[in-house]
Amino acid sequence: MALRRSKSTISDVNPDELQHNVHSWNNWTYRGEDVDRTVEDMTIQLAGSGHPFALVRPRAVRDDAGDTIGVNYVVEEGAKVYIERINISGNTRTRDYVIRREFDIGEGDPYNQAMIDRAARRLRNLGYFQSVRITNTPGSEPDRVVVNVEVVDQSTGEFSVGGGYSTSDGFLGEVSLTERNFLGRGQYVKASVQYGQRTQGYGLSFTEPYFMGQRIAAGFDLFSKTTDDSDYQYYKDQTTGGTIRAAFPITENFTVGVNYTLYSEKVTIPSQYNDNNYLNGEASRAIKELAGHNRIVSQVGYTLTYNSLDDLKQPSEGIYAQFKQDIAGLGGDAKYVKSSVDSRYYYPLTDDLTLMARAQGGYMVGFGGEKLAIVDQFNPGPDLVRGFAPGGIGARDLAGGGKGNGLGGTTYVGGTLELQFPIFGLPREVGLRGAIFADAGTVFGYGGTKYSQACVAIPGGGNTGNCNSGGGAGSGVRQFDLVDSHQIRSSIGASLLWASPIGPLRFDYAYVLTKAKHDDTQAFHFGTIVNY
């Protein structure tokens, strides 16, 4: 694509003021989707500035010698046609008002095809309907038109099952019930239960997408999670609390969210990890300081989200980017600022090949003289680099033997490349696809108290951790033995994606390429979603 110009035959429309709506650039590959989005955004801006009947027509100019296409966007005055009424049919379950509120225009308003197209896309993205079809028929007068909306309801409930396995945590599982169109009102409800050999919990979420009749998604979350001690975590952690939240759309793709979270956290250390016997495993001093009382965390946060994905469940094109920041310290026992960013870019190489690139990172810092508790710090695990266990990456306290206690970190960065493709020889109807991926990232920067590397004498000697007792015949072990590696962890792997009769399934197998000495690995992970 070479040129992108705007012209106007309407005297009081300045084409230069429309240029920021153009979604393609010089020397970009020509894509019809970019032209359609440009026409839509220009038309809607014109309607908002007092030109509801303006039409934007793209005109392509080929340059065969330069092998380029120039696109001119011409603004013209269209016919003055008004909407007489909007008819809705086919919605046996979804209520009429849930469909009507996705239109930015109504009966009596000037007819605007770009706004009709936007409403159709919104209705499809809801995921409530098998199909959405919008047509026009003549009204009772020549300047009137009737808009007909035909939809077919589909199941919006899901029964989800997910799980994984690690040598440290054993089997992990989650069962959840989700309804995305509760009672046909467009409300989102989810109840979930997690159960594993060493992890249990539950959660309840509710979202009203049009709070008080406005395009504001408001809701709440209740949660509880208990994580038992394991080979690399010498304590039990129980967290119970809730969140209230609201999201405000600024543009069609950009949303600002706000939230407040309050939760209590109780740390319990089993007696075998709290007997000062550093030969058979001992809880870190960093976790002992939290044991014995309920710790309250009160935090407020905000989220900036940009979402241009073509499909929320199985995207093949678009960008999803999110920046989050939480501030703890509105009462409670924690004081910190935590920031994170996660962005994903999907690009269709062909009709069958989709490339996904992901970048993520985070940073947190305490304030008011407070050190960071290890339960507050980042511990992304396999979500950052597949092939590693939960809590398997980051700073560790090796006192106590084995792989010690995972401490997480104040900083993490990571990136992923993934290619999804059809499996050769299998018909498309089988629903099997494959993927190959490469992950790389690191977690570092322990932000808690750095205790003295003091030693505890052990009878009979036996030097552990290069720590000398300095107290005669015996040798000793460190009471706090911090390792905090900046080393990049990386892995490659393959995935099997199956749109099975019971819903989409995903199987991941990762091979670790680089790791720090004391990281904890986990090669296999699977997940399923069952529709009902």
Side-chain angles (χ1 to χ4, degrees), residues 348-370:
L349 299 176
T350 68
D351 289 341
D352 293 323
L353 298 178
T354 299
L355 179 67
M356 188 274 286
R358 181 185 185 187
Q360 55 180 316
Y363 177 74
M364 67 180 301
V365 62
F367 64 88
E370 294 287 334

mmCIF file with all atom_site columns, all heavy atoms in Angstrom, residues 348-370:
data_model
loop_
_atom_site.group_PDB
_atom_site.id
_atom_site.type_symbol
_atom_site.label_atom_id
_atom_site.label_alt_id
_atom_site.label_comp_id
_atom_site.label_asym_id
_atom_site.label_entity_id
_atom_site.label_seq_id
_atom_site.pdbx_PDB_ins_code
_atom_site.Cartn_x
_atom_site.Cartn_y
_atom_site.Cartn_z
_atom_site.occupancy
_atom_site.B_iso_or_equiv
_atom_site.pdbx_formal_charge
_atom_site.auth_seq_id
_atom_site.auth_comp_id
_atom_site.auth_asym_id
_atom_site.auth_atom_id
_atom_site.pdbx_PDB_model_num
ATOM 1   N N   . PRO A 1 348 ? -2.402 -13.392 11.096 1.00 0.00 ? 348 PRO A N   1
ATOM 2   C CA  . PRO A 1 348 ? -2.672 -14.546 10.232 1.00 0.00 ? 348 PRO A CA  1
ATOM 3   C C   . PRO A 1 348 ? -1.675 -14.608 9.073  1.00 0.00 ? 348 PRO A C   1
ATOM 4   O O   . PRO A 1 348 ? -1.756 -13.809 8.135  1.00 0.00 ? 348 PRO A O   1
ATOM 5   C CB  . PRO A 1 348 ? -4.098 -14.271 9.737  1.00 0.00 ? 348 PRO A CB  1
ATOM 6   C CG  . PRO A 1 348 ? -4.227 -12.786 9.758  1.00 0.00 ? 348 PRO A CG  1
ATOM 7   C CD  . PRO A 1 348 ? -3.348 -12.280 10.861 1.00 0.00 ? 348 PRO A CD  1
ATOM 8   N N   . LEU A 1 349 ? -0.746 -15.548 9.137  1.00 0.00 ? 349 LEU A N   1
ATOM 9   C CA  . LEU A 1 349 ? 0.211  -15.703 8.038  1.00 0.00 ? 349 LEU A CA  1
ATOM 10  C C   . LEU A 1 349 ? -0.496 -16.200 6.779  1.00 0.00 ? 349 LEU A C   1
ATOM 11  O O   . LEU A 1 349 ? -0.194 -15.762 5.668  1.00 0.00 ? 349 LEU A O   1
ATOM 12  C CB  . LEU A 1 349 ? 1.311  -16.673 8.446  1.00 0.00 ? 349 LEU A CB  1
ATOM 13  C CG  . LEU A 1 349 ? 2.161  -16.260 9.655  1.00 0.00 ? 349 LEU A CG  1
ATOM 14  C CD1 . LEU A 1 349 ? 3.144  -17.352 10.015 1.00 0.00 ? 349 LEU A CD1 1
ATOM 15  C CD2 . LEU A 1 349 ? 2.892  -14.952 9.367  1.00 0.00 ? 349 LEU A CD2 1
ATOM 16  N N   . THR A 1 350 ? -1.408 -17.135 6.947  1.00 0.00 ? 350 THR A N   1
ATOM 17  C CA  . THR A 1 350 ? -2.288 -17.615 5.883  1.00 0.00 ? 350 THR A CA  1
ATOM 18  C C   . THR A 1 350 ? -3.646 -17.864 6.520  1.00 0.00 ? 350 THR A C   1
ATOM 19  O O   . THR A 1 350 ? -3.852 -17.579 7.706  1.00 0.00 ? 350 THR A O   1
ATOM 20  C CB  . THR A 1 350 ? -1.757 -18.921 5.247  1.00 0.00 ? 350 THR A CB  1
ATOM 21  O OG1 . THR A 1 350 ? -1.849 -19.986 6.218  1.00 0.00 ? 350 THR A OG1 1
ATOM 22  C CG2 . THR A 1 350 ? -0.305 -18.764 4.800  1.00 0.00 ? 350 THR A CG2 1
ATOM 23  N N   . ASP A 1 351 ? -4.567 -18.466 5.766  1.00 0.00 ? 351 ASP A N   1
ATOM 24  C CA  . ASP A 1 351 ? -5.871 -18.795 6.334  1.00 0.00 ? 351 ASP A CA  1
ATOM 25  C C   . ASP A 1 351 ? -5.752 -19.838 7.442  1.00 0.00 ? 351 ASP A C   1
ATOM 26  O O   . ASP A 1 351 ? -6.620 -19.933 8.314  1.00 0.00 ? 351 ASP A O   1
ATOM 27  C CB  . ASP A 1 351 ? -6.807 -19.322 5.242  1.00 0.00 ? 351 ASP A CB  1
ATOM 28  C CG  . ASP A 1 351 ? -7.234 -18.226 4.280  1.00 0.00 ? 351 ASP A CG  1
ATOM 29  O OD1 . ASP A 1 351 ? -7.114 -17.046 4.662  1.00 0.00 ? 351 ASP A OD1 1
ATOM 30  O OD2 . ASP A 1 351 ? -7.662 -18.554 3.164  1.00 0.00 ? 351 ASP A OD2 1
ATOM 31  N N   . ASP A 1 352 ? -4.678 -20.652 7.401  1.00 0.00 ? 352 ASP A N   1
ATOM 32  C CA  . ASP A 1 352 ? -4.524 -21.741 8.368  1.00 0.00 ? 352 ASP A CA  1
ATOM 33  C C   . ASP A 1 352 ? -3.443 -21.492 9.409  1.00 0.00 ? 352 ASP A C   1
ATOM 34  O O   . ASP A 1 352 ? -3.433 -22.146 10.456 1.00 0.00 ? 352 ASP A O   1
ATOM 35  C CB  . ASP A 1 352 ? -4.197 -23.052 7.637  1.00 0.00 ? 352 ASP A CB  1
ATOM 36  C CG  . ASP A 1 352 ? -5.370 -23.539 6.798  1.00 0.00 ? 352 ASP A CG  1
ATOM 37  O OD1 . ASP A 1 352 ? -6.512 -23.385 7.253  1.00 0.00 ? 352 ASP A OD1 1
ATOM 38  O OD2 . ASP A 1 352 ? -5.132 -24.051 5.695  1.00 0.00 ? 352 ASP A OD2 1
ATOM 39  N N   . LEU A 1 353 ? -2.507 -20.580 9.142  1.00 0.00 ? 353 LEU A N   1
ATOM 40  C CA  . LEU A 1 353 ? -1.373 -20.346 10.043 1.00 0.00 ? 353 LEU A CA  1
ATOM 41  C C   . LEU A 1 353 ? -1.562 -19.038 10.791 1.00 0.00 ? 353 LEU A C   1
ATOM 42  O O   . LEU A 1 353 ? -1.787 -17.984 10.176 1.00 0.00 ? 353 LEU A O   1
ATOM 43  C CB  . LEU A 1 353 ? -0.059 -20.310 9.277  1.00 0.00 ? 353 LEU A CB  1
ATOM 44  C CG  . LEU A 1 353 ? 0.359  -21.579 8.531  1.00 0.00 ? 353 LEU A CG  1
ATOM 45  C CD1 . LEU A 1 353 ? 1.657  -21.338 7.787  1.00 0.00 ? 353 LEU A CD1 1
ATOM 46  C CD2 . LEU A 1 353 ? 0.512  -22.741 9.506  1.00 0.00 ? 353 LEU A CD2 1
ATOM 47  N N   . THR A 1 354 ? -1.482 -19.100 12.116 1.00 0.00 ? 354 THR A N   1
ATOM 48  C CA  . THR A 1 354 ? -1.591 -17.903 12.956 1.00 0.00 ? 354 THR A CA  1
ATOM 49  C C   . THR A 1 354 ? -0.344 -17.782 13.824 1.00 0.00 ? 354 THR A C   1
ATOM 50  O O   . THR A 1 354 ? 0.029  -18.723 14.522 1.00 0.00 ? 354 THR A O   1
ATOM 51  C CB  . THR A 1 354 ? -2.832 -17.969 13.862 1.00 0.00 ? 354 THR A CB  1
ATOM 52  O OG1 . THR A 1 354 ? -4.004 -18.045 13.068 1.00 0.00 ? 354 THR A OG1 1
ATOM 53  C CG2 . THR A 1 354 ? -2.911 -16.734 14.754 1.00 0.00 ? 354 THR A CG2 1
ATOM 54  N N   . LEU A 1 355 ? 0.271  -16.618 13.779 1.00 0.00 ? 355 LEU A N   1
ATOM 55  C CA  . LEU A 1 355 ? 1.449  -16.338 14.610 1.00 0.00 ? 355 LEU A CA  1
ATOM 56  C C   . LEU A 1 355 ? 1.033  -15.474 15.783 1.00 0.00 ? 355 LEU A C   1
ATOM 57  O O   . LEU A 1 355 ? 0.344  -14.464 15.607 1.00 0.00 ? 355 LEU A O   1
ATOM 58  C CB  . LEU A 1 355 ? 2.520  -15.629 13.791 1.00 0.00 ? 355 LEU A CB  1
ATOM 59  C CG  . LEU A 1 355 ? 3.810  -15.257 14.546 1.00 0.00 ? 355 LEU A CG  1
ATOM 60  C CD1 . LEU A 1 355 ? 4.580  -16.514 14.949 1.00 0.00 ? 355 LEU A CD1 1
ATOM 61  C CD2 . LEU A 1 355 ? 4.688  -14.355 13.689 1.00 0.00 ? 355 LEU A CD2 1
ATOM 62  N N   . MET A 1 356 ? 1.422  -15.884 16.991 1.00 0.00 ? 356 MET A N   1
ATOM 63  C CA  . MET A 1 356 ? 1.141  -15.099 18.186 1.00 0.00 ? 356 MET A CA  1
ATOM 64  C C   . MET A 1 356 ? 2.444  -14.707 18.853 1.00 0.00 ? 356 MET A C   1
ATOM 65  O O   . MET A 1 356 ? 3.307  -15.541 19.101 1.00 0.00 ? 356 MET A O   1
ATOM 66  C CB  . MET A 1 356 ? 0.286  -15.901 19.173 1.00 0.00 ? 356 MET A CB  1
ATOM 67  C CG  . MET A 1 356 ? -0.224 -15.074 20.369 1.00 0.00 ? 356 MET A CG  1
ATOM 68  S SD  . MET A 1 356 ? 0.932  -14.973 21.765 1.00 0.00 ? 356 MET A SD  1
ATOM 69  C CE  . MET A 1 356 ? 0.783  -16.621 22.449 1.00 0.00 ? 356 MET A CE  1
ATOM 70  N N   . ALA A 1 357 ? 2.603  -13.412 19.120 1.00 0.00 ? 357 ALA A N   1
ATOM 71  C CA  . ALA A 1 357 ? 3.758  -12.904 19.853 1.00 0.00 ? 357 ALA A CA  1
ATOM 72  C C   . ALA A 1 357 ? 3.262  -12.258 21.143 1.00 0.00 ? 357 ALA A C   1
ATOM 73  O O   . ALA A 1 357 ? 2.311  -11.466 21.126 1.00 0.00 ? 357 ALA A O   1
ATOM 74  C CB  . ALA A 1 357 ? 4.536  -11.887 19.016 1.00 0.00 ? 357 ALA A CB  1
ATOM 75  N N   . ARG A 1 358 ? 3.913  -12.605 22.243 1.00 0.00 ? 358 ARG A N   1
ATOM 76  C CA  . ARG A 1 358 ? 3.496  -12.091 23.547 1.00 0.00 ? 358 ARG A CA  1
ATOM 77  C C   . ARG A 1 358 ? 4.692  -11.495 24.289 1.00 0.00 ? 358 ARG A C   1
ATOM 78  O O   . ARG A 1 358 ? 5.785  -12.049 24.261 1.00 0.00 ? 358 ARG A O   1
ATOM 79  C CB  . ARG A 1 358 ? 2.887  -13.208 24.395 1.00 0.00 ? 358 ARG A CB  1
ATOM 80  C CG  . ARG A 1 358 ? 2.395  -12.762 25.769 1.00 0.00 ? 358 ARG A CG  1
ATOM 81  C CD  . ARG A 1 358 ? 1.916  -13.943 26.598 1.00 0.00 ? 358 ARG A CD  1
ATOM 82  N NE  . ARG A 1 358 ? 1.344  -13.513 27.863 1.00 0.00 ? 358 ARG A NE  1
ATOM 83  C CZ  . ARG A 1 358 ? 0.972  -14.335 28.834 1.00 0.00 ? 358 ARG A CZ  1
ATOM 84  N NH1 . ARG A 1 358 ? 1.099  -15.653 28.676 1.00 0.00 ? 358 ARG A NH1 1
ATOM 85  N NH2 . ARG A 1 358 ? 0.458  -13.866 29.955 1.00 0.00 ? 358 ARG A NH2 1
ATOM 86  N N   . ALA A 1 359 ? 4.462  -10.352 24.922 1.00 0.00 ? 359 ALA A N   1
ATOM 87  C CA  . ALA A 1 359 ? 5.471  -9.736  25.780 1.00 0.00 ? 359 ALA A CA  1
ATOM 88  C C   . ALA A 1 359 ? 4.807  -9.377  27.100 1.00 0.00 ? 359 ALA A C   1
ATOM 89  O O   . ALA A 1 359 ? 3.666  -8.902  27.126 1.00 0.00 ? 359 ALA A O   1
ATOM 90  C CB  . ALA A 1 359 ? 6.063  -8.487  25.131 1.00 0.00 ? 359 ALA A CB  1
ATOM 91  N N   . GLN A 1 360 ? 5.498  -9.611  28.196 1.00 0.00 ? 360 GLN A N   1
ATOM 92  C CA  . GLN A 1 360 ? 4.939  -9.294  29.508 1.00 0.00 ? 360 GLN A CA  1
ATOM 93  C C   . GLN A 1 360 ? 6.045  -8.899  30.468 1.00 0.00 ? 360 GLN A C   1
ATOM 94  O O   . GLN A 1 360 ? 7.222  -9.225  30.264 1.00 0.00 ? 360 GLN A O   1
ATOM 95  C CB  . GLN A 1 360 ? 4.157  -10.482 30.065 1.00 0.00 ? 360 GLN A CB  1
ATOM 96  C CG  . GLN A 1 360 ? 4.918  -11.790 30.143 1.00 0.00 ? 360 GLN A CG  1
ATOM 97  C CD  . GLN A 1 360 ? 4.073  -12.914 30.694 1.00 0.00 ? 360 GLN A CD  1
ATOM 98  O OE1 . GLN A 1 360 ? 3.340  -12.747 31.680 1.00 0.00 ? 360 GLN A OE1 1
ATOM 99  N NE2 . GLN A 1 360 ? 4.166  -14.089 30.089 1.00 0.00 ? 360 GLN A NE2 1
ATOM 100 N N   . GLY A 1 361 ? 5.663  -8.183  31.493 1.00 0.00 ? 361 GLY A N   1
ATOM 101 C CA  . GLY A 1 361 ? 6.631  -7.748  32.493 1.00 0.00 ? 361 GLY A CA  1
ATOM 102 C C   . GLY A 1 361 ? 5.943  -7.128  33.686 1.00 0.00 ? 361 GLY A C   1
ATOM 103 O O   . GLY A 1 361 ? 4.756  -6.779  33.633 1.00 0.00 ? 361 GLY A O   1
ATOM 104 N N   . GLY A 1 362 ? 6.689  -6.978  34.771 1.00 0.00 ? 362 GLY A N   1
ATOM 105 C CA  . GLY A 1 362 ? 6.124  -6.381  35.972 1.00 0.00 ? 362 GLY A CA  1
ATOM 106 C C   . GLY A 1 362 ? 7.200  -5.877  36.907 1.00 0.00 ? 362 GLY A C   1
ATOM 107 O O   . GLY A 1 362 ? 8.352  -6.335  36.861 1.00 0.00 ? 362 GLY A O   1
ATOM 108 N N   . TYR A 1 363 ? 6.803  -4.920  37.749 1.00 0.00 ? 363 TYR A N   1
ATOM 109 C CA  . TYR A 1 363 ? 7.738  -4.365  38.739 1.00 0.00 ? 363 TYR A CA  1
ATOM 110 C C   . TYR A 1 363 ? 6.934  -3.890  39.939 1.00 0.00 ? 363 TYR A C   1
ATOM 111 O O   . TYR A 1 363 ? 5.832  -3.346  39.790 1.00 0.00 ? 363 TYR A O   1
ATOM 112 C CB  . TYR A 1 363 ? 8.524  -3.198  38.147 1.00 0.00 ? 363 TYR A CB  1
ATOM 113 C CG  . TYR A 1 363 ? 9.455  -2.536  39.142 1.00 0.00 ? 363 TYR A CG  1
ATOM 114 C CD1 . TYR A 1 363 ? 10.636 -3.172  39.533 1.00 0.00 ? 363 TYR A CD1 1
ATOM 115 C CD2 . TYR A 1 363 ? 9.148  -1.302  39.707 1.00 0.00 ? 363 TYR A CD2 1
ATOM 116 C CE1 . TYR A 1 363 ? 11.490 -2.582  40.452 1.00 0.00 ? 363 TYR A CE1 1
ATOM 117 C CE2 . TYR A 1 363 ? 9.993  -0.707  40.624 1.00 0.00 ? 363 TYR A CE2 1
ATOM 118 C CZ  . TYR A 1 363 ? 11.160 -1.357  40.992 1.00 0.00 ? 363 TYR A CZ  1
ATOM 119 O OH  . TYR A 1 363 ? 12.004 -0.773  41.919 1.00 0.00 ? 363 TYR A OH  1
ATOM 120 N N   . MET A 1 364 ? 7.462  -4.121  41.139 1.00 0.00 ? 364 MET A N   1
ATOM 121 C CA  . MET A 1 364 ? 6.808  -3.644  42.347 1.00 0.00 ? 364 MET A CA  1
ATOM 122 C C   . MET A 1 364 ? 7.824  -3.115  43.336 1.00 0.00 ? 364 MET A C   1
ATOM 123 O O   . MET A 1 364 ? 9.012  -3.500  43.314 1.00 0.00 ? 364 MET A O   1
ATOM 124 C CB  . MET A 1 364 ? 5.981  -4.750  42.982 1.00 0.00 ? 364 MET A CB  1
ATOM 125 C CG  . MET A 1 364 ? 6.756  -5.912  43.554 1.00 0.00 ? 364 MET A CG  1
ATOM 126 S SD  . MET A 1 364 ? 5.669  -7.169  44.292 1.00 0.00 ? 364 MET A SD  1
ATOM 127 C CE  . MET A 1 364 ? 4.812  -6.215  45.561 1.00 0.00 ? 364 MET A CE  1
ATOM 128 N N   . VAL A 1 365 ? 7.382  -2.215  44.203 1.00 0.00 ? 365 VAL A N   1
ATOM 129 C CA  . VAL A 1 365 ? 8.260  -1.612  45.193 1.00 0.00 ? 365 VAL A CA  1
ATOM 130 C C   . VAL A 1 365 ? 7.436  -1.277  46.434 1.00 0.00 ? 365 VAL A C   1
ATOM 131 O O   . VAL A 1 365 ? 6.265  -0.901  46.346 1.00 0.00 ? 365 VAL A O   1
ATOM 132 C CB  . VAL A 1 365 ? 8.929  -0.336  44.622 1.00 0.00 ? 365 VAL A CB  1
ATOM 133 C CG1 . VAL A 1 365 ? 7.883  0.714   44.262 1.00 0.00 ? 365 VAL A CG1 1
ATOM 134 C CG2 . VAL A 1 365 ? 9.959  0.241   45.584 1.00 0.00 ? 365 VAL A CG2 1
ATOM 135 N N   . GLY A 1 366 ? 8.033  -1.440  47.614 1.00 0.00 ? 366 GLY A N   1
ATOM 136 C CA  . GLY A 1 366 ? 7.371  -1.059  48.851 1.00 0.00 ? 366 GLY A CA  1
ATOM 137 C C   . GLY A 1 366 ? 7.546  0.418   49.144 1.00 0.00 ? 366 GLY A C   1
ATOM 138 O O   . GLY A 1 366 ? 8.428  1.074   48.587 1.00 0.00 ? 366 GLY A O   1
ATOM 139 N N   . PHE A 1 367 ? 6.710  0.955   50.023 1.00 0.00 ? 367 PHE A N   1
ATOM 140 C CA  . PHE A 1 367 ? 6.865  2.350   50.427 1.00 0.00 ? 367 PHE A CA  1
ATOM 141 C C   . PHE A 1 367 ? 6.540  2.476   51.908 1.00 0.00 ? 367 PHE A C   1
ATOM 142 O O   . PHE A 1 367 ? 6.043  1.534   52.537 1.00 0.00 ? 367 PHE A O   1
ATOM 143 C CB  . PHE A 1 367 ? 5.977  3.279   49.592 1.00 0.00 ? 367 PHE A CB  1
ATOM 144 C CG  . PHE A 1 367 ? 4.502  3.058   49.751 1.00 0.00 ? 367 PHE A CG  1
ATOM 145 C CD1 . PHE A 1 367 ? 3.778  3.712   50.747 1.00 0.00 ? 367 PHE A CD1 1
ATOM 146 C CD2 . PHE A 1 367 ? 3.822  2.191   48.907 1.00 0.00 ? 367 PHE A CD2 1
ATOM 147 C CE1 . PHE A 1 367 ? 2.415  3.502   50.895 1.00 0.00 ? 367 PHE A CE1 1
ATOM 148 C CE2 . PHE A 1 367 ? 2.454  1.981   49.041 1.00 0.00 ? 367 PHE A CE2 1
ATOM 149 C CZ  . PHE A 1 367 ? 1.756  2.638   50.041 1.00 0.00 ? 367 PHE A CZ  1
ATOM 150 N N   . GLY A 1 368 ? 6.820  3.628   52.463 1.00 0.00 ? 368 GLY A N   1
ATOM 151 C CA  . GLY A 1 368 ? 6.576  3.860   53.881 1.00 0.00 ? 368 GLY A CA  1
ATOM 152 C C   . GLY A 1 368 ? 7.492  3.060   54.781 1.00 0.00 ? 368 GLY A C   1
ATOM 153 O O   . GLY A 1 368 ? 7.134  2.756   55.921 1.00 0.00 ? 368 GLY A O   1
ATOM 154 N N   . GLY A 1 369 ? 8.671  2.706   54.262 1.00 0.00 ? 369 GLY A N   1
ATOM 155 C CA  . GLY A 1 369 ? 9.619  1.951   55.064 1.00 0.00 ? 369 GLY A CA  1
ATOM 156 C C   . GLY A 1 369 ? 9.293  0.482   55.194 1.00 0.00 ? 369 GLY A C   1
ATOM 157 O O   . GLY A 1 369 ? 9.952  -0.235  55.948 1.00 0.00 ? 369 GLY A O   1
ATOM 158 N N   . GLU A 1 370 ? 8.260  0.001   54.467 1.00 0.00 ? 370 GLU A N   1
ATOM 159 C CA  . GLU A 1 370 ? 7.845  -1.388  54.571 1.00 0.00 ? 370 GLU A CA  1
ATOM 160 C C   . GLU A 1 370 ? 8.629  -2.280  53.609 1.00 0.00 ? 370 GLU A C   1
ATOM 161 O O   . GLU A 1 370 ? 8.832  -1.935  52.450 1.00 0.00 ? 370 GLU A O   1
ATOM 162 C CB  . GLU A 1 370 ? 6.347  -1.512  54.247 1.00 0.00 ? 370 GLU A CB  1
ATOM 163 C CG  . GLU A 1 370 ? 5.435  -0.838  55.238 1.00 0.00 ? 370 GLU A CG  1
ATOM 164 C CD  . GLU A 1 370 ? 5.353  -1.588  56.543 1.00 0.00 ? 370 GLU A CD  1
ATOM 165 O OE1 . GLU A 1 370 ? 5.564  -2.807  56.536 1.00 0.00 ? 370 GLU A OE1 1
ATOM 166 O OE2 . GLU A 1 370 ? 5.085  -0.938  57.574 1.00 0.00 ? 370 GLU A OE2 1
#
